[in-house]
Amino acid sequence: MTDQQQLWDHDVAQNYDTPGEGMFAEDVLGPTVGVLKGLARGGRAVEFAIGTGRVAIPLADAGVPVSGIELSHAMISRLREKVDEQRIPVVQGDMASALAGDDFALAYLVFNTIANLVTQDEQVACFENAARHLQPGGCFVVELWVPQLRSLPPGHSGTVEVSDPGYLLVDSYDVLNQRVVSHHVRFDPDPAGSREARIERTPHRYVWPSELDLMARLAGFHLESRWADWNGNPFTAESRSHVSVYRLSAV
């Protein structure tokens, strides 16, 4: 996990938040917090890869006691600029193995975070770790994108996922090993601009929903529900992401 620690460094942490926009927009956070609060059922929640508190802070503001696990010291430092340890306690460590306590009603990870674990063993261990944190009958919520292999042109291993002024997102696939590297290219949209392009790369291991369900079963969970998004829209063959709710056995 050393490489992941380097990826989420001070510069990334300081520029991660986009208040009111993108994944920080109210129409994104509102439904997310609403679903998680309902699933917590008045109990405590733990967020795996809590980051800078994008979801944890509004969830705590909504009355759900939240703890977290986060690998990156820099992301924790950014979170601490907003809330203290008493408000949202955080354990620094790997979400596949670090312990933040037990008897939680809800464990969750959002925004494709489980794909940051780049081996199948680590992803299986993440489910097992979620089970260790939960009380019997608790639930584990995973938000994850659906691999877009159908978008790959014949003979090519990459796709352009986003093309905006000043920003390109290019995903390159290694389908043999179920890996994808996201290339984030940021540049001056003005052709006469002098700023050099900056490239950041993040590796992932993509997971099909069916494989995720098997990981859950190995850890003692069963799939309770799956939606295309936090608004509860139906998950279909055309969905590009999903929110999956896994329930831990009550015995």
Side-chain angles (χ1 to χ4, degrees), residues 33-110:
V33 169
V35 168
L36 293 175
K37 181 178 180 179
L39 291 171
R41 298 178 178 177
R44 298 157 54 237
V46 57
E47 180 172 354
F48 285 14
I50 194 170
T52 66
R54 179 181 72 94
V55 174
I57 293 174
L59 184 59
D61 289 342
V64 179
V66 182
S67 297
I69 296 172
E70 174 57 49
L71 180 66
S72 167
H73 291 287
M75 298 294 267
I76 296 173
S77 294
R78 180 72 182 98
L79 171 64
R80 287 288 164 253
E81 294 174 13
K82 296 182 271 186
V83 294
D84 61 23
E85 178 72 15
Q86 185 174 6
R87 176 69 166 152
I88 299 180
V90 176
V91 172
Q92 192 279 324
D94 184 343
M95 63 182 167
S97 58
L99 293 174
D102 57 16
D103 204 37
F104 289 94
L106 169 68
Y108 67 93
L109 54 79
V110 295

